[in-house]
Amino acid sequence: LGILMLCPLQYVASIAFVMESIVAFAERGHLVDVLVSDDTDPAFQCDHPHVRTFTFGDASVRRGMQYRELVKTGRLLAENKQYDLTIGLSQMGLIAGASITKRLGIPCVFYNDEICFGNERHTLLGNAFGYTVKFFERRANRKALFTVTQDAERGRFVSEVNGISTESL
């Protein structure tokens, strides 16, 4: 399989289940292209011959434009490479992955790192934005091949919040 993994979180290298998954896919012979922020901390490193790392502009773009950069770079990779699967980490990774793979007709998997409700911001306008993003997350999650969570309790919450069946976890 050719896998495109969209990892927009700057701290992706510190998320054990994500790093372990990348290595596990590579060890099984899959080719994994990982798209990460150009501003990761700690630095993203995976020294496996089946893993390639690409970056999208994050540090150099205006706040709020990271999603656009992620999608633009992800689409460029997807159009020039043959992928069988896309994995989207976090809300932004899932939404970007769903957008990219819809055009290609390949499945997207959601790697859920935290549960967002849409109302985590401190202003009315911020919460309106949060609810809008949550709408797109729910829609993309319902179309995902399946969802990976860190534990059963998170899975139950994601199932409730996003309106997906627990069988898709």
Side-chain angles (χ1 to χ4, degrees), residues 56-125:
F56 70 94
D58 193 0
S60 61
V61 298
R62 266 190 359 239
R63 183 169 165 79
M65 300 302 287
Q66 293 90 346
Y67 172 78
R68 193 171 122 195
E69 290 296 312
L70 175 66
V71 170
K72 182 174 84 173
T73 307
R75 280 189 178 147
L76 285 172
L77 285 172
E79 289 171 0
N80 294 315
K81 310 250 185 291
Q82 181 63 40
Y83 297 116
D84 302 295
L85 179 70
T86 296
I87 299 173
L89 169 64
S90 78
Q91 220 179 17
M92 188 178 359
L94 169 65
I95 296 167
S99 169
I100 292 165
T101 58
K102 182 179 179 181
R103 298 171 95 190
L104 302 173
I106 61 172
C108 182
V109 172
F110 180 28
Y111 267 43
N112 175 259
D113 65 317
E114 65 180 71
I115 300 168
C116 299
F117 298 94
N119 62 350
E120 293 87 7
R121 289 153 179 99
H122 300 290
T123 66
L124 187 59
L125 184 59

Side-chain angles (χ1 to χ4, degrees), residues 7-29:
C7 300
L9 303 176
Q10 293 173 327
Y11 54 90
V12 64
S14 67
I15 305 175
F17 87 100
V18 174
M19 298 304 292
E20 291 167 1
S21 292
I22 293 167
V23 172
F25 289 133
E27 289 293 318
R28 287 168 177 77

